[in-house]
Amino acid sequence: MILERVTRYLTSPEADSFEELALAAFAYQFENIEPYRLLCQRRDVTPETAADWRQVPPVPAAAFKTLTLAAAPAAEVFRSSGTTGEQRSVHHHPFPDLYRRVIDASFPRFCLPYGGPLPILSLIPSREQLPDSSLSFMADHILSRYGSPESANLFGPRGVEAAKSRSWLGARQREGKPVLILATAFALAQWLDSLDRLGLRFRLPAGTTIFETGGFKGRTAELSREELLGRVQASLGVPPEYVVREYGMTELTSQCYTRVLAGGDPDLFVAPHWVRVRILDPETLEEAPAGAPGLISVFDLANLGSAVHLLTEDLGAAEGDGFRLLGRAAGAELRGCSLVVEELSHPPR
C-alpha cells in the first residue's frame, strides 16, 4: 500500500524511488479526490500519461479554503490561523501518525544536535488551547517525545506567561545544560519585550537552540529578522547560529528547515529527502531559473492524504540545494493560482 511505502521511505530512502513513489501517490489522489481528478483530466494529465513527478498538476494552497481535499476520512482537521475576517484553510488530514513520523524523521536532524531528552520550553499554544492547529500538534509531539521532565508549555490564554517563563529560564541557567525553545516569531518578540521591560538578561547554557517558526502575519507590530536575532542574543545569550528557522504551513505535512546548527546559511531553507521544492513563474507556472523569484511549489510525499503537489502563496528563489523565502505573493502574482482554484471549484458540466 502506498501509505506503508511512504512511511517506510521517511527513514529508509534506499527502500524506494522518489520518482516511483511520487507517481504512485499521484495515482492514489487521482483515484480518491474527485475535484483533483477532474482538474487533472481537464489538463490531460493522468497516472497513465504522467512520466515525471513535475508533470503532476499542483494544487494551490488557496483551494483548501473552499474545498475538502481528502483521499480518506479525516482523523484530524487542521485550520490556518488567518487574520480577522479572512477565510481559513482547512486541512482534512487522514494520517496523523504519518505526520508524527515526519516530525521524528526531520526535526531531530535539524534541531537536536545533542539528542534528547532535554529541557524544552514551548511558547506555542498547546493542543488543548488550539486543537485544530497543525503547529500545536507538532509542538505537543516534540514536547512529549523529546522533552525531559523539566519541559513546559508556558503559552497561556493571554500569550506568553512571563513570570513562569522567567523562573524557567533562571532554573535552566543555573543547571548549565543546553535547552530547546520552541516559539513563533511573534511570541518570541512578545517574550523578549517582557524581559526588556524588567531589564532582565539571561545567559542560557552553550548549545541552547531556538526553533523559530512563522512571522508576524496579521500583527500590527513587525520586527526585522536581524532585530529579532540581535534581541535574542542580548536577552538570552543565544547566538544567531543557534536559531533554526522552519518553513511549514497548515496545508502541508512536512517542513523545511535552515541548517544553521551544521554551519549552513541562516536564511537558506532545505527540504528532507521525501520533499522536492521548486520555484515557479507566477504567470506560466513553469519552473523559474535559479535565483529568479517565483512561487514556492512543494511536492511532499507525506501530504498523501490531501495534495502531494502544493502551490503556495509564498515567493522564493532557488539557490543550491535549497531556497530563500522572499515573502508573501501579491494579488497580481497569484493570477495563475487563482485560475487553478477556479478550475477546481467549478468542474465542467
Side-chain angles (χ1 to χ4, degrees), residues 83-120:
T83 56
T84 303
E86 181 184 35
Q87 194 169 11
R88 300 166 69 189
S89 287
V90 183
H91 191 170
H92 299 266
H93 207 299
F95 309 127
D97 282 344
L98 180 60
Y99 191 178
R100 294 183 184 95
R101 301 242 183 165
V102 161
I103 298 167
D104 293 338
S106 56
F107 183 84
R109 171 187 165 196
F110 292 99
C111 302
L112 295 175
Y114 303 101
L118 77 169
I120 299 177

Side-chain angles (χ1 to χ4, degrees), residues 11-12 28 49 98 106 120 127 133 228-229 250 259 342 345:
T11 53
S12 303
Y28 174 76
T49 62
L98 180 60
S106 56
I120 299 177
R127 290 216 74 196
S133 165
L228 181 63
L229 292 176
T250 299
R259 285 187 297 220
E342 187 175 340
S345 304

Side-chain angles (χ1 to χ4, degrees), residues 121 123 168-169 179-183 191 204 208-211 236:
L121 174 63
L123 303 181
W168 193 92
L169 285 176
V179 303
L180 172 66
I181 298 171
L182 314 175
W191 191 36
L204 292 175
T208 288
T209 299
I210 295 178
F211 167 82
L236 303 176

Side-chain angles (χ1 to χ4, degrees), residues 114-229:
Y114 303 101
L118 77 169
I120 299 177
L121 174 63
S122 177
L123 303 181
I124 294 170
S126 68
R127 290 216 74 196
E128 185 177 354
Q129 293 170 291
L130 292 178
D132 61 355
S133 165
S134 59
L135 180 59
S136 295
F137 181 99
M138 179 182 187
D140 276 21
H141 178 73
I142 291 168
L143 274 173
S144 63
R145 182 67 183 263
Y146 303 103
S148 67
E150 300 86 0
S151 299
N153 184 313
L154 294 179
F155 193 96
R158 297 184 178 180
V160 176
E161 297 186 78
K164 291 182 179 179
S165 66
R166 291 195 298 270
S167 296
W168 193 92
L169 285 176
R172 304 292 83 76
Q173 182 173 264
R174 289 190 296 271
E175 289 170 357
K177 297 178 181 178
V179 303
L180 172 66
I181 298 171
L182 314 175
T184 63
F186 184 76
L188 192 56
Q190 183 189 53
W191 191 36
L192 296 173
D193 285 342
S194 71
L195 297 179
D196 285 347
R197 283 194 292 269
L198 296 173
L200 294 177
R201 294 288 185 270
F202 292 88
R203 287 297 173 265
L204 292 175
T208 288
T209 299
I210 295 178
F211 167 82
E212 178 253 299
T213 179
F216 295 87
K217 181 183 177 184
R219 307 298 185 177
T220 55
E222 295 199 6
L223 191 67
S224 74
R225 179 152 180 83
E226 291 72 22
E227 290 174 314
L228 181 63
L229 292 176

Side-chain angles (χ1 to χ4, degrees), residues 16-48:
D16 221 317
S17 156
F18 178 87
E19 184 74 58
E20 291 178 6
L21 278 177
L23 295 178
F26 169 50
Y28 174 76
Q29 294 187 340
F30 183 91
E31 178 181 354
N32 291 286
I33 305 176
E34 184 180 12
Y36 184 58
R37 179 171 64 252
L38 294 172
L39 170 72
C40 295
Q41 289 173 333
R42 188 180 307 171
R43 297 187 171 200
D44 294 323
V45 180
T46 69
E48 289 72 34

